[in-house]
Amino acid sequence: DTGVSQDPRHKITKRGQNVTFRCDPISEHNRLYWYRQTLGQGPEFLTYFQNEAQLEKSRLLSDRFSAERPKGSFSTLEIQRTEQGDSAMYLCASSLLEAGNTEAFFGQGTRLTVV
Amino acid sequence: GQNIDQPTEMTATEGAIVQINCTYQTSGFNGLFWYQQHAGEAPTFLSYNVLDGLEEKGRFSSFLSRSKGYSYLLLKELQMKDSASYLCAVRGSNYQLIWGAGTKLIIKP
Protein backbone atom coordinates (compact mmCIF):
# COMPACT_ATOMS: atom_id res chain seq x y z
CA ASP A 1 0.00 0.00 0.00
CA THR A 2 1.38 3.37 -0.99
CA GLY A 3 -0.50 5.49 1.52
CA VAL A 4 -3.25 8.01 0.95
CA SER A 5 -3.45 9.31 -2.61
CA GLN A 6 -5.36 12.29 -3.93
CA ASP A 7 -6.20 13.29 -7.46
CA PRO A 8 -5.68 15.75 -9.00
CA ARG A 9 -2.73 17.43 -7.27
CA HIS A 10 -3.61 20.81 -8.74
CA LYS A 11 -6.80 22.22 -10.19
CA ILE A 12 -7.42 25.63 -11.71
CA THR A 13 -11.02 26.43 -12.47
CA LYS A 14 -13.14 29.40 -13.38
CA ARG A 15 -15.55 30.83 -10.88
CA GLY A 16 -18.93 29.16 -11.17
CA GLN A 17 -17.62 25.83 -12.42
CA ASN A 18 -18.00 22.53 -10.55
CA VAL A 19 -14.97 20.54 -9.46
CA THR A 20 -14.56 17.03 -8.05
CA PHE A 21 -11.61 15.64 -6.12
CA ARG A 22 -10.84 12.03 -5.36
CA CYS A 23 -9.16 10.43 -2.34
CA ASP A 24 -7.99 6.83 -2.04
CA PRO A 25 -7.27 6.03 1.62
CA ILE A 26 -5.03 3.35 3.09
CA SER A 27 -6.94 0.17 2.35
CA GLU A 28 -7.69 -1.08 5.87
CA HIS A 29 -8.57 2.34 7.26
CA ASN A 30 -12.24 2.76 8.08
CA ARG A 31 -12.19 6.50 8.81
CA LEU A 32 -11.71 9.08 6.09
CA TYR A 33 -11.51 12.82 6.64
CA TRP A 34 -11.62 15.84 4.38
CA TYR A 35 -9.93 19.06 5.46
CA ARG A 36 -9.33 22.44 3.87
CA GLN A 37 -6.17 24.36 4.59
CA THR A 38 -5.26 27.93 3.71
CA LEU A 39 -1.85 29.53 4.03
CA GLY A 40 -0.68 29.88 7.62
CA GLN A 41 -3.59 27.95 9.08
CA GLY A 42 -4.03 24.45 10.40
CA PRO A 43 -6.33 21.99 8.64
CA GLU A 44 -9.99 23.00 8.87
CA PHE A 45 -12.38 20.09 9.25
CA LEU A 46 -14.94 19.63 6.48
CA THR A 47 -16.43 16.17 6.93
CA TYR A 48 -15.61 12.60 7.80
CA PHE A 49 -16.76 9.07 7.03
CA GLN A 50 -16.73 5.88 8.98
CA ASN A 51 -16.80 3.22 6.29
CA GLU A 52 -19.48 4.47 3.87
CA ALA A 53 -21.42 6.53 6.42
CA GLN A 54 -20.89 10.28 6.54
CA LEU A 55 -20.96 10.92 10.28
CA GLU A 56 -20.34 14.62 10.53
CA LYS A 57 -20.25 17.65 8.32
CA SER A 58 -18.84 20.99 9.40
CA ARG A 59 -21.35 23.79 9.88
CA LEU A 60 -18.91 25.92 7.92
CA LEU A 61 -19.56 23.77 4.88
CA SER A 62 -22.09 25.32 2.55
CA ASP A 63 -24.60 23.38 0.48
CA ARG A 64 -22.26 23.73 -2.48
CA PHE A 65 -19.99 21.09 -0.95
CA SER A 66 -20.85 17.42 -1.01
CA ALA A 67 -18.83 14.31 -0.29
CA GLU A 68 -19.40 10.63 -0.86
CA ARG A 69 -17.72 7.37 0.00
CA PRO A 70 -20.01 4.93 -1.79
CA LYS A 71 -18.37 1.61 -0.99
CA GLY A 72 -16.40 2.59 2.07
CA SER A 73 -13.20 2.79 0.07
CA PHE A 74 -12.38 5.86 -2.05
CA SER A 75 -14.14 9.18 -1.50
CA THR A 76 -15.02 12.15 -3.67
CA LEU A 77 -15.47 15.79 -2.68
CA GLU A 78 -17.47 17.96 -5.06
CA ILE A 79 -17.70 21.73 -4.98
CA GLN A 80 -20.47 23.25 -7.08
CA ARG A 81 -20.49 26.80 -8.41
CA THR A 82 -16.99 27.49 -7.16
CA GLU A 83 -16.14 30.87 -5.66
CA GLN A 84 -12.77 32.56 -5.26
CA GLY A 85 -12.97 31.94 -1.52
CA ASP A 86 -12.87 28.21 -2.20
CA SER A 87 -9.23 28.50 -3.28
CA ALA A 88 -7.27 26.37 -0.82
CA MET A 89 -5.49 23.07 -0.32
CA TYR A 90 -7.95 20.22 0.16
CA LEU A 91 -6.47 17.45 2.27
CA CYS A 92 -7.72 13.93 2.74
CA ALA A 93 -6.64 11.76 5.64
CA SER A 94 -7.47 8.26 6.80
CA SER A 95 -7.13 6.36 10.06
CA LEU A 96 -8.31 3.33 11.94
CA LEU A 97 -11.16 3.75 14.38
CA GLU A 98 -9.70 2.54 17.61
CA ALA A 99 -8.12 3.89 20.73
CA GLY A 100 -4.43 4.37 21.10
CA ASN A 101 -1.82 5.69 18.76
CA THR A 102 -3.83 5.55 15.57
CA GLU A 103 -2.65 8.62 13.80
CA ALA A 104 -4.25 10.03 10.69
CA PHE A 105 -2.23 9.67 7.50
CA PHE A 106 -2.56 12.48 5.01
CA GLY A 107 -2.52 12.55 1.25
CA GLN A 108 -0.51 15.17 -0.62
CA GLY A 109 -3.59 17.29 -1.11
CA THR A 110 -5.34 18.93 -4.04
CA ARG A 111 -4.55 22.60 -4.49
CA LEU A 112 -7.57 24.41 -5.90
CA THR A 113 -7.29 27.82 -7.51
CA VAL A 114 -10.50 29.56 -8.55
CA VAL A 115 -9.96 32.40 -10.99
CA GLY B 1 -16.39 25.87 22.45
CA GLN B 2 -13.33 23.92 21.40
CA ASN B 3 -10.04 25.71 21.06
CA ILE B 4 -6.38 24.93 20.50
CA ASP B 5 -3.75 27.64 20.88
CA GLN B 6 -0.16 27.64 19.66
CA PRO B 7 2.29 30.48 19.01
CA THR B 8 2.16 31.64 15.42
CA GLU B 9 5.90 31.71 14.80
CA MET B 10 9.15 30.93 16.59
CA THR B 11 12.80 31.38 15.65
CA ALA B 12 15.71 29.27 16.88
CA THR B 13 19.35 28.66 16.06
CA GLU B 14 20.79 25.55 14.43
CA GLY B 15 22.05 23.14 17.10
CA ALA B 16 19.91 24.67 19.84
CA ILE B 17 16.76 23.45 21.62
CA VAL B 18 13.26 24.84 21.11
CA GLN B 19 9.98 24.18 22.93
CA ILE B 20 6.65 24.71 21.15
CA ASN B 21 3.67 24.99 23.47
CA CYS B 22 0.06 24.02 22.87
CA THR B 23 -2.93 24.65 25.12
CA TYR B 24 -6.33 23.17 24.48
CA GLN B 25 -9.96 23.24 25.56
CA THR B 26 -11.98 20.43 24.03
CA SER B 27 -15.09 18.42 24.76
CA GLY B 28 -13.52 15.10 25.63
CA PHE B 29 -9.94 13.95 25.25
CA ASN B 30 -8.65 10.84 23.54
CA GLY B 31 -5.08 11.80 22.85
CA LEU B 32 -2.94 14.62 21.54
CA PHE B 33 -0.89 14.50 18.35
CA TRP B 34 1.94 16.58 16.98
CA TYR B 35 2.47 16.78 13.24
CA GLN B 36 5.17 18.41 11.13
CA GLN B 37 4.27 20.16 7.90
CA HIS B 38 6.79 21.50 5.41
CA ALA B 39 5.58 24.22 3.09
CA GLY B 40 3.40 22.87 0.31
CA GLU B 41 3.39 19.35 1.73
CA ALA B 42 0.97 17.25 3.77
CA PRO B 43 1.31 17.00 7.56
CA THR B 44 3.32 14.02 8.82
CA PHE B 45 2.96 12.39 12.22
CA LEU B 46 5.55 13.12 14.93
CA SER B 47 4.19 12.04 18.30
CA TYR B 48 1.20 10.94 20.35
CA ASN B 49 0.41 11.47 24.05
CA VAL B 50 -2.61 10.19 25.93
CA LEU B 51 -1.22 9.92 29.48
CA ASP B 52 0.53 12.66 31.44
CA GLY B 53 4.26 12.82 31.05
CA LEU B 54 7.02 12.91 28.53
CA GLU B 55 7.34 10.76 25.41
CA GLU B 56 10.79 10.77 23.83
CA LYS B 57 11.54 9.84 20.26
CA GLY B 58 15.05 10.66 19.14
CA ARG B 59 15.58 14.42 18.89
CA PHE B 60 11.88 15.06 19.46
CA SER B 61 9.99 14.78 22.76
CA SER B 62 6.39 15.60 23.61
CA PHE B 63 4.90 16.34 27.00
CA LEU B 64 1.28 16.28 28.17
CA SER B 65 -0.54 17.57 31.24
CA ARG B 66 -4.23 16.72 30.95
CA SER B 67 -5.22 18.62 34.09
CA LYS B 68 -3.71 21.80 32.65
CA GLY B 69 -4.83 21.20 29.06
CA TYR B 70 -1.22 21.69 28.01
CA SER B 71 1.35 20.04 25.82
CA TYR B 72 4.72 20.93 24.40
CA LEU B 73 6.94 19.61 21.65
CA LEU B 74 10.66 19.77 22.39
CA LEU B 75 13.13 19.70 19.52
CA LYS B 76 16.80 19.17 20.33
CA GLU B 77 19.95 19.61 18.24
CA LEU B 78 18.03 21.64 15.71
CA GLN B 79 18.83 21.14 12.04
CA MET B 80 17.95 23.39 9.12
CA LYS B 81 15.57 20.72 7.83
CA ASP B 82 13.48 21.20 11.00
CA SER B 83 12.23 24.49 9.56
CA ALA B 84 8.52 23.74 9.14
CA SER B 85 5.14 24.29 10.73
CA TYR B 86 4.31 22.19 13.77
CA LEU B 87 0.65 21.35 14.29
CA CYS B 88 -0.95 20.33 17.57
CA ALA B 89 -4.15 18.27 17.29
CA VAL B 90 -6.45 16.85 19.95
CA ARG B 91 -8.66 13.84 19.40
CA GLY B 92 -11.98 14.68 21.00
CA SER B 93 -14.86 12.71 22.39
CA ASN B 94 -16.04 11.47 18.99
CA TYR B 95 -12.48 10.60 17.96
CA GLN B 96 -12.37 13.51 15.55
CA LEU B 97 -9.13 15.52 15.35
CA ILE B 98 -9.28 19.19 16.31
CA TRP B 99 -6.36 21.17 14.94
CA GLY B 100 -4.41 24.20 16.04
CA ALA B 101 -3.32 26.76 13.45
CA GLY B 102 0.28 25.58 13.67
CA THR B 103 3.56 27.15 14.74
CA LYS B 104 5.97 28.16 12.01
CA LEU B 105 9.50 27.36 13.18
CA ILE B 106 12.35 29.24 11.52
CA ILE B 107 15.86 27.86 12.03
CA LYS B 108 18.78 30.25 11.56
CA PRO B 109 22.39 29.16 11.01
Side-chain angles (χ1 to χ4, degrees):
Chain A
D1 188 51
T2 56
V4 181
S5 62
Q6 292 187 245
D7 182 70
R9 293 290 306 277
H10 303 274
K11 178 71 177 179
I12 300 174
T13 190
K14 291 184 179 180
R15 189 174 52 185
Q17 297 295 305
N18 299 344
V19 294
T20 300
F21 310 142
R22 177 180 169 122
C23 171
D24 287 89
I26 293 173
S27 57
E28 64 268 26
H29 284 184
N30 44 20
R31 280 217 169 176
L32 186 148
Y33 306 83
W34 283 100
Y35 295 92
R36 176 171 61 191
Q37 187 175 30
T38 53
L39 197 63
Q41 297 297 314
E44 175 190 20
F45 169 76
L46 295 179
T47 187
Y48 83 96
F49 293 84
Q50 184 171 311
N51 300 313
E52 66 275 8
Q54 187 174 17
L55 295 188
E56 189 170 343
K57 189 174 175 180
S58 169
R59 285 171 291 176
L60 301 174
L61 215 58
S62 76
D63 292 342
R64 297 184 298 106
F65 287 72
S66 62
E68 294 182 344
R69 194 183 183 197
K71 296 181 180 179
S73 56
F74 74 92
S75 176
T76 58
L77 177 69
E78 181 183 17
I79 309 174
Q80 297 181 326
R81 305 181 302 282
T82 52
E83 301 173 355
Q84 286 188 321
D86 297 332
S87 295
M89 175 75 85
Y90 289 83
L91 293 167
C92 174
S94 70
S95 71
L96 285 169
L97 172 59
E98 59 185 47
N101 186 4
T102 52
E103 74 267 25
F105 292 83
F106 283 84
Q108 291 299 306
T110 295
R111 182 168 295 283
L112 173 66
T113 303
V114 182
V115 298
Chain B
Q2 306 197 98
N3 197 48
I4 297 182
D5 288 315
Q6 314 177 224
T8 303
E9 187 174 295
M10 299 182 71
T11 302
T13 304
E14 190 177 14
I17 299 173
V18 70
Q19 177 175 311
I20 302 174
N21 295 325
C22 170
T23 58
Y24 64 89
Q25 290 178 306
T26 58
S27 56
F29 180 85
N30 284 292
L32 185 144
F33 296 82
W34 283 95
Y35 279 75
Q36 180 190 60
Q37 187 176 27
H38 286 100
E41 298 182 7
T44 55
F45 170 76
L46 287 178
S47 69
Y48 169 77
N49 295 72
V50 67
L51 299 176
D52 291 351
L54 188 69
E55 293 283 341
E56 297 187 78
K57 190 186 290 187
R59 295 190 297 116
F60 293 4
S61 302
S62 56
F63 172 84
L64 174 67
S65 169
R66 288 171 295 170
S67 62
K68 295 182 180 178
Y70 168 70
S71 173
Y72 68 72
L73 180 69
L74 191 72
L75 292 77
K76 303 176 184 176
E77 302 168 13
L78 286 170
Q79 301 174 9
M80 297 303 292
K81 68 178 182 179
D82 297 330
S83 293
S85 288
Y86 291 85
L87 301 164
C88 173
V90 173
R91 188 162 61 190
S93 55
N94 62 354
Y95 282 77
Q96 186 195 129
L97 286 174
I98 305 149
W99 294 85
T103 299
K104 182 178 180 181
L105 178 63
I106 300 168
I107 309 295
K108 295 186 175 179

